[in-house]
Amino acid sequence: MAEQLTSIEHFHQFLETHELAVIHVMRNNCSVCHAVLPQIEDMLKDYPRVPLGVINQSEIEAIAGELSIFTVPVDLIYMNGKEMHRQARFIDMQGFEYQLQRMYESLEG
């Protein structure tokens, strides 16, 4: 289940709390953002140790500057608080999952 991140501080706390995490950045009137979110949620069912944080840029405008975001949706994979992978606008789900799987397996091994 996705956790709504309601501030930049909440975003940083989320990353500090989780060794591996996925962040989905969206806006209110973005149909692509709303279509991608359930796909990411479904993918993460196979990775029970990976939480999903959702940031609505319509509510937290400053996140664009914090993460250097120029378009939405943006899906990011963080490991140990560092951004390891980013996809924006057109999300390649297979490529995204491939990167996630590699990082997930490195935690297991």
Side-chain angles (χ1 to χ4, degrees), residues 15 18-21 77-85 102-104 106-107:
L15 295 181
H18 304 288
E19 192 173 17
L20 184 61
I77 302 172
Y78 280 83
M79 187 170 190
N80 298 319
K82 296 185 185 200
E83 181 182 322
M84 302 300 287
H85 184 73
R102 292 181 62 213
M103 288 176 237
Y104 192 80
S106 75
L107 293 179

Side-chain angles (χ1 to χ4, degrees), residues 30-107:
C30 171
S31 60
V32 175
C33 300
H34 291 280
V36 168
L37 180 57
Q39 293 177 51
I40 295 287
E41 288 174 322
D42 191 49
M43 176 193 306
L44 289 177
K45 289 177 184 173
D46 293 333
Y47 304 91
R49 294 177 44 206
V50 181
L52 173 62
V54 177
I55 300 173
N56 188 333
Q57 189 187 349
S58 299
E59 297 169 9
I60 309 170
E61 292 287 338
I63 201 68
E66 182 77 11
L67 298 178
S68 298
I69 291 174
F70 302 102
T71 187
V72 288
V74 176
D75 288 292
L76 307 116
I77 302 172
Y78 280 83
M79 187 170 190
N80 298 319
K82 296 185 185 200
E83 181 182 322
M84 302 300 287
H85 184 73
R86 171 187 293 231
Q87 288 193 18
R89 198 171 196 172
F90 303 108
I91 310 301
D92 170 12
M93 287 297 169
Q94 288 180 321
F96 192 83
E97 184 169 13
Y98 174 76
Q99 294 298 326
L100 179 62
Q101 182 179 15
R102 292 181 62 213
M103 288 176 237
Y104 192 80
E105 287 172 355
S106 75
L107 293 179

Side-chain angles (χ1 to χ4, degrees), residues 11-30:
F11 162 73
H12 287 292
Q13 283 178 328
F14 184 80
L15 295 181
E16 288 172 16
T17 308
H18 304 288
E19 192 173 17
L20 184 61
V22 172
I23 302 293
H24 177 75
V25 183
M26 60 189 297
R27 290 189 67 81
N28 284 340
N29 297 320
C30 171

